[in-house]
């Protein structure tokens, strides 16, 4: 059985199986994770974190792979976290992103990890950020997180990154749908992938227009980042160099502002997730509030009555604000 | 602590080019609640072991049609051990003669399943083996 000190030591020494184990601890909310993180925490912050999201099948994994190739060409190392959905029926998951990246497996400058989204809402983003912290401390120049852009939990994952790349492609929903889904709001860089396919030009136009309208609306405010829209053919590696240039430009933009302030704001979210998760476990488990709710409802009170009663019990129980 | 999931890497080493069998196995294991990392075709023992290490899997399952199993399993085992992954449960299926299956199992390389084994049986075996192991770990600590 390994302990936290051993794993932290392994990470400092660059042992990949220590990193792999620490990510497993993050996934399982293992009680050894916090101590391991504490002892490598001074090393966290050196990686540039890139979130890649977009609709299913847009080419996120292929693009992430191409990005890794380009980063390696520039002699940068990269850690990749690829997230796929857990089946709500079986609780299992088929994690297939790695197929598109398999050629990178034997490269010592690349580390690829697959993660299932699992059940709980906040749990995914918490685990993903934890995993990125571990990869960051390991010393990768870049950490890329891929997740399907389908819901709030997934947006929370990419939202924790420094630069968010949204990948769209012709066919898989047009620009309008993307806007409705709020997918443009999270983007720092927009990529129209599958530029070799019909309809890519149209999508480029739609998106450029949408982004332009947005930046006009923002005019007059402090320095704003103008979201670039770029075309790519990930399967051929085309447009990837340009993508990386825009990511670099975004990095310079943030570094010109208050990067540490932005990162700390995102860290506050992580604190919230940890607190929420622990409270959820504690209250509905050992503290017995599930049973209490059940017996409240037996007395034919409404869910709100029962909730009020429970909240009063919790908040009156040493949890009021100072 | 979150409920622990069995993580399995399913690979298809060798040069023969179709992976329907491996995909079916991957899907069935998923339906049995496991987290299955599917790595596609044409892996070398080195790549399989490296992916298994990065993914920190509990189980590696290989689908083999090429007849190279007698050298392949020992090589994967060796590559896993090199990476501190000696604890991984190695298993596989495909077209493997019964004598070979017995020999590989006797040498402690892997538990193999012959053609026609219902995939549900493989899933059940993985589950019970892993559960027994985890129980054991808990007793020890
Ligand atoms: N024509 C064309 N096909 C592409 C391109 N990029 C990716 N594809 C194909 O699109 C399909 C999906 O690619 P992935 O990279 O797996 O897409 P993804 O967004 O990661 O998919 P999920 O993770 O399943 O949501 C594959 O068949 C790719 O080969 C491209 O630039 N042009
Ligand atoms: Mg993918």
């Amino acid at each position: 059985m390994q302990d936290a000190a051993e794993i932290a030591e392994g990470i400092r020494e660059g042992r990949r199986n220590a990193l792999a184990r620490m990510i497993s601890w993050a996934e399982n909310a293992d009680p050894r994770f916090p101590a391991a993180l504490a002892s490598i925490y001074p090393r966290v912050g050196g990686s540039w974190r890139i979130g890649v999201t977009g609709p299913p099948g847009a080419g996120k994994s292929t693009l992430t792979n191409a990005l890794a190739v380009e980063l390696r060409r520039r002699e940068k190392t990269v850690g990749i976290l690829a997230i796929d959905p857990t089946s709500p029926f079986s609780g299992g998951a088929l994690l297939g992103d790695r197929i598109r990246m398999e050629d990178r497996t034997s490269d010592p400058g690349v580390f690829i990890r697959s993660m299932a989204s699992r059940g709980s809402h906040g749990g995914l983003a918490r685990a993903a950020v934890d995993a990125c912290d571990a990869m960051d401390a390991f010393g990768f120049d870049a950490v890329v997180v891929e997740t399907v852009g389908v819901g709030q939990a997934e947006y929370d994952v990419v939202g924790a990154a420094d630069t968010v790349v949204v990948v769209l492609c012709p066919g898989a929903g047009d620009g309008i749908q993307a806007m409705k889904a709020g997918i443009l709001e999270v983007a720092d860089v927009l990529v129209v992938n599958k530029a070799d396919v019909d309809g890519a030009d149209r999508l480029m136009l739609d998106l450029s227009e949408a982004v332009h309208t947005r930046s006009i609306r923002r005019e007059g405010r402090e320095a704003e980042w103008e979201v670039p829209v770029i075309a790519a053919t990930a399967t051929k590696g085309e447009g990837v160099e340009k993508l990386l240039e825009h990511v670099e430009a975004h990095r310079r933009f943030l570094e010109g502002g208050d990067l540490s302030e932005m990162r700390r704001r995102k860290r506050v979210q992580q604190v919230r997730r940890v607190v929420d998760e622990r409270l959820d476990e504690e209250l509905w488990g050992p503290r017995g509030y599930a049973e209490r709710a059940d017996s409240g409802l037996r007395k034919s009170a409404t869910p709100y009555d029962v909730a009020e009663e429970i909240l009063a019990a919790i908040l009156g129980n040493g949890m009021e604000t100072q | 602590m979150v409920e622990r999931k069995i993580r399995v890497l399913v690979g298809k080493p060798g040069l023969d080019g179709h992976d329907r069998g491996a995909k079916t196995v991957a899907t069935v294991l998923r339906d049995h609640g496991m987290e299955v990392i599917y790595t596609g075709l044409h892996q070398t023992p080195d790549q399989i072991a490296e992916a298994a290490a990065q993914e920190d899997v509990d189980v590696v399952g290989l689908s083999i049609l090429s007849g190279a199993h007698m050298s392949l399993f020992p090589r994967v085992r060796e590559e896993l051990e090199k990476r501190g992954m000696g604890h991984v449960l190695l298993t596989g299926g495909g077209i493997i003669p019964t004598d070979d299956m017995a020999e590989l199992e006797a040498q402690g390389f892997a538990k193999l399943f012959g053609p026609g084994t219902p995939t549900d049986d493989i899933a059940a075996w993985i589950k019970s083996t892993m559960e027994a192991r985890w129980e054991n770990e808990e007793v020890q600590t």
Side-chain angles (χ1 to χ4, degrees):
Chain A
M1 225 42 210
Q2 289 157 309
D3 62 22
E6 212 176 310
I7 289 301
E9 179 71 14
I11 288 193
R12 281 192 292 267
E13 285 171 355
R15 285 193 353 246
R16 293 157 80 89
N17 54 357
L19 174 59
R21 182 50 53 91
M22 186 155 172
I23 297 175
S24 300
W25 286 358
E27 287 191 293
N28 297 327
D30 191 288
R32 287 166 288 189
F33 185 88
L37 181 65
S39 77
I40 56 169
Y41 207 63
R43 292 168 170 254
V44 174
S47 310
W48 195 253
R49 300 190 187 187
I50 304 168
V52 176
T53 193
K60 300 177 294 297
S61 299
T62 313
L63 192 70
T64 298
N65 180 57
L67 208 55
V69 172
E70 182 58 27
L71 283 162
R72 294 300 290 139
R73 210 177 56 81
R74 300 179 186 197
E75 291 176 357
K76 305 274 193 221
T77 56
V78 50
I80 298 171
L81 183 69
I83 301 171
D84 271 330
T86 289
S87 155
F89 304 106
S90 66
L94 198 51
L95 309 171
D97 294 316
R98 212 182 165 98
I99 300 177
R100 317 259 176 240
M101 311 173 187
E102 208 39 41
D103 293 347
R104 308 278 82 69
T105 288
S106 341
D107 180 345
V110 179
F111 185 96
I112 306 166
R113 180 61 177 245
S114 314
M115 189 181 261
S117 62
R118 297 201 180 166
S120 74
H121 182 134
L124 172 62
R126 196 270 308 142
V129 170
D130 282 345
C132 289
D133 285 350
M135 290 198 275
D136 189 334
F138 196 80
F140 293 112
D141 297 306
V143 170
V144 184
V145 187
E146 175 198 338
T147 178
V148 186
V150 286
Q152 191 59 49
E154 279 76 11
Y155 285 138
D156 284 352
V157 171
V158 288
D162 297 312
T163 300
V164 179
V165 177
V166 170
V167 186
L168 300 169
C169 73
D174 56 16
I176 303 289
Q177 269 179 317
M179 277 174 261
K180 270 202 277 189
I183 208 167
L184 301 189
E185 314 297 318
V186 294
D188 296 309
V189 181
L190 272 170
V191 176
V192 172
N193 189 39
K194 309 195 186 181
D196 55 331
V197 165
D198 273 354
D201 293 344
R202 180 75 239 170
L203 185 55
M204 282 290 290
L205 272 173
D206 283 353
L207 290 175
S208 306
E209 213 164 275
V211 164
H212 186 66
T213 326
R214 239 161 58 94
S215 55
I216 286 176
R217 265 198 277 131
R218 285 164 152 201
E219 231 167 4
R221 289 205 261 148
E222 60 197 287
E224 289 274 3
W225 168 252
E226 186 138 355
V227 177
V229 183
I230 55 183
T233 305
T235 37
K236 295 182 194 143
E238 285 167 17
V240 175
E241 226 173 307
K242 204 161 164 199
L243 168 60
L244 211 51
E245 274 157 30
H246 283 288
V247 171
E248 280 299 322
H250 185 244
R251 177 183 190 154
R252 286 192 299 274
F253 169 80
L254 289 178
E255 283 172 346
D258 199 342
L259 176 64
S260 59
E261 152 80 21
M262 182 199 89
R263 283 182 165 178
R264 207 168 46 249
R265 247 190 356 252
K266 295 187 174 185
R267 286 271 146 195
V268 171
Q269 295 305 314
Q270 182 72 345
V271 175
R272 272 183 81 159
R273 290 181 202 112
V274 174
V275 171
D276 288 351
E277 202 174 356
R278 290 277 292 281
L279 271 180
D280 192 72
E281 249 171 54
E282 182 72 23
L283 295 177
W284 301 105
R287 298 275 174 122
Y289 283 103
E291 290 76 21
R292 202 162 159 164
D294 184 70
S295 62
L297 289 170
R298 278 171 199 275
K299 291 179 224 147
S300 87
T302 73
Y304 284 89
D305 298 333
V306 180
E308 279 304 331
E309 194 191 303
I310 287 178
L311 280 170
I314 296 170
L315 296 174
N317 214 348
M319 288 183 65
E320 62 271 90
T321 47
Q322 264 107 37
Chain B
M1 213 160 123
V2 181
E3 182 206 350
R4 195 163 168 185
K5 302 269 181 188
I6 301 172
R7 285 172 68 84
V8 189
L9 183 132
V10 171
K12 173 78 185 67
L15 296 175
D16 49 326
H18 80 87
D19 61 348
R20 203 175 321 134
K23 274 185 181 153
T24 307
V25 171
T27 311
V28 172
L29 297 183
R30 192 262 321 264
D31 293 342
H32 280 265
M34 299 178 207
E35 294 183 348
V36 186
I37 294 114
Y38 184 60
T39 59
L41 291 161
H42 308 318
Q43 258 93 69
T44 63
D46 182 71
Q47 282 175 316
I48 290 165
E50 182 56 33
Q54 292 176 17
E55 299 287 355
D56 192 16
V57 292
D58 308 296
V59 184
V60 168
L62 304 178
S63 154
I64 299 176
L65 299 170
S66 58
H69 49 271
M70 287 314 274
S71 65
L72 195 77
F73 278 97
R75 276 172 62 210
V76 171
R77 184 44 87 207
E78 187 188 330
E79 291 293 335
L80 282 169
E81 264 154 25
K82 252 199 238 168
R83 291 168 175 80
M85 296 291 287
H87 57 277
V88 163
L89 195 62
L90 184 57
T91 182
I95 303 167
I96 303 171
T98 325
D99 287 354
D100 290 359
M101 290 202 321
E103 193 181 328
L104 284 168
E105 205 174 329
Q107 292 172 16
F109 289 119
K111 159 113 179 136
L112 301 181
F113 295 90
T117 311
T119 318
D120 286 327
D121 291 3
I122 303 178
W125 176 79
I126 291 176
K127 240 178 170 166
S128 62
T129 311
M130 281 315 301
E131 272 159 17
R133 230 185 232 202
W134 284 344
E135 236 161 73
N136 230 334
E137 271 175 28
E138 261 168 45
V139 170
Q140 280 170 14
T141 49

